[in-house]
Amino acid sequence: MKIARFSSKGEDPRYGILDERALVVLAGDPMYQGFETTGERVPLSEAKLLAPVIPRSKVIGVGLNYAEHADEMDDVSSDDPVVFLKPNTSVIGPEDPIRLPEGVGRVDHEGELAVVIGSLAKNVRREDFASVILGYTIANDVTARDLQARDGQWTRAKGFDTFCPLGPVIETEIDPSDIRLETRVDGDLRQVASTSEMVHDIPELIEFVSSIWTLLPGDVILTGTPAGVGEIRDGEVVEVTISGIGTLKNPVIARK
């Protein structure tokens, strides 16, 4: 089931189940009110898809979670996952522009599978990981690469406004263990991998992250990017596609 957050005809954002060419409107936020429908259908042609979730608490990133990406960054994967935080103000939705901050140097795309937490979770055992997940979406962990190297930590480099595109939907019924991820810039294939190549799989990530932070409904975990990260420039369009979920598309513009 694909869950979308959308606006239509100037109304406040609502949630719906994607049904081919229409959205079946939900009575409320599915994280708190389940999947009861109102009976209303909104044609996709009349809807603007928004970020499917705005994390109430945090976006948790995972670094160096594909061995070939660690190699291209001249780094090594660690025994424990490398984790960092992005503010919820970095989140944007499909078709929203990634805005390049002035004077920061190189900015890179990082296509990723994202986990959307659906319930309060603390110290989750790996065998219970699925019980706390609402579903999966697509993310682009945009990174100011020069700042990442200069600062020696990642908060500023990954935390700018617009640096966390999410969408287009949350897929609630997918096996995340072996699905294909591709990233294209202006149609040029930059990244291609399977989630089976992760150093730390999703059950391990849920167990590890929930041992550090209490996870709240709506929190998002970015599971890491494969090799092939590269610079994005003003006027380009980034598309991240994950099998079974869809394509997250965002233009890139220079901040004036």
Side-chain angles (χ1 to χ4, degrees):
M1 179 166 54
K2 289 180 168 61
I3 305 298
R5 179 171 166 266
F6 70 97
S7 62
S8 177
K9 300 179 180 178
E11 298 176 343
D12 290 338
R14 294 185 290 171
Y15 295 86
I17 299 170
L18 185 60
D19 181 14
E20 294 184 353
R21 299 180 182 178
L23 290 158
V24 180
V25 179
L26 293 172
D29 186 333
M31 269 175 279
Y32 296 95
Q33 296 174 265
F35 300 110
E36 180 183 354
T37 61
T38 65
E40 181 184 0
R41 296 173 63 89
V42 176
L44 272 177
S45 59
E46 298 177 9
K48 173 178 170 50
L49 296 185
L50 308 173
V53 60
I54 299 295
R56 293 155 175 78
S57 171
K58 52 195 170 290
V59 177
I60 300 161
V62 178
L64 307 174
N65 201 26
Y66 289 78
E68 290 186 2
H69 173 58
D71 289 344
E72 74 178 350
M73 301 303 292
D74 293 323
D75 212 327
V76 293
S77 300
S78 66
D79 292 338
D80 289 332
V82 176
V83 294
F84 57 92
L85 296 174
K86 292 171 81 91
N88 59 10
T89 49
S90 66
V91 172
I92 58 173
E95 303 291 346
D96 292 336
I98 300 166
R99 298 182 180 274
L100 304 176
E102 186 177 359
V104 302
R106 172 174 161 171
V107 175
D108 283 8
H109 63 79
E110 295 190 9
E112 311 196 8
L113 176 68
V115 179
V116 181
I117 299 298
S119 63
L120 188 73
K122 180 65 178 175
N123 293 324
V124 180
R125 297 180 302 175
R126 64 171 292 129
E127 58 264 31
D128 298 327
F129 83 100
S131 67
V132 303
I133 293 174
L134 175 66
Y136 301 87
T137 191
I138 303 171
N140 186 354
D141 178 22
V142 181
T143 303
R145 195 66 71 197
D146 294 350
L147 293 185
Q148 184 181 28
R150 186 189 313 166
D151 289 353
Q153 49 83 25
W154 301 356
T155 302
R156 182 165 65 134
K158 291 177 174 287
F160 284 96
D161 291 351
T162 77
F163 271 29
C164 189
L166 295 176
V169 296
I170 298 170
E171 172 57 67
T172 64
E173 300 172 3
I174 194 170
D175 178 356
S177 63
D178 184 13
I179 50 179
R180 183 179 175 91
L181 181 154
E182 297 180 350
T183 303
R184 288 179 165 81
V185 178
D186 281 356
D188 179 37
L189 184 63
R190 296 277 189 88
Q191 295 180 283
V192 58
S194 167
T195 55
S196 64
E197 299 170 38
M198 289 182 185
V199 176
H200 307 285
D201 64 12
I202 290 172
E204 181 183 354
L205 293 179
I206 296 292
E207 182 177 67
F208 182 77
V209 167
S210 69
S211 74
I212 306 168
W213 299 289
T214 297
L215 302 177
L216 304 182
D219 283 354
V220 174
I221 301 173
L222 314 183
T223 60
T225 197
V229 300
E231 187 173 7
I232 52 177
R233 299 176 176 86
D234 183 33
E236 294 180 331
V237 175
V238 185
E239 296 176 281
V240 185
T241 300
I242 296 181
S243 299
I245 302 178
T247 296
L248 172 64
K249 180 178 178 181
N250 298 94
V252 180
I253 64 173
R255 182 168 287 148
K256 304 301 183 181

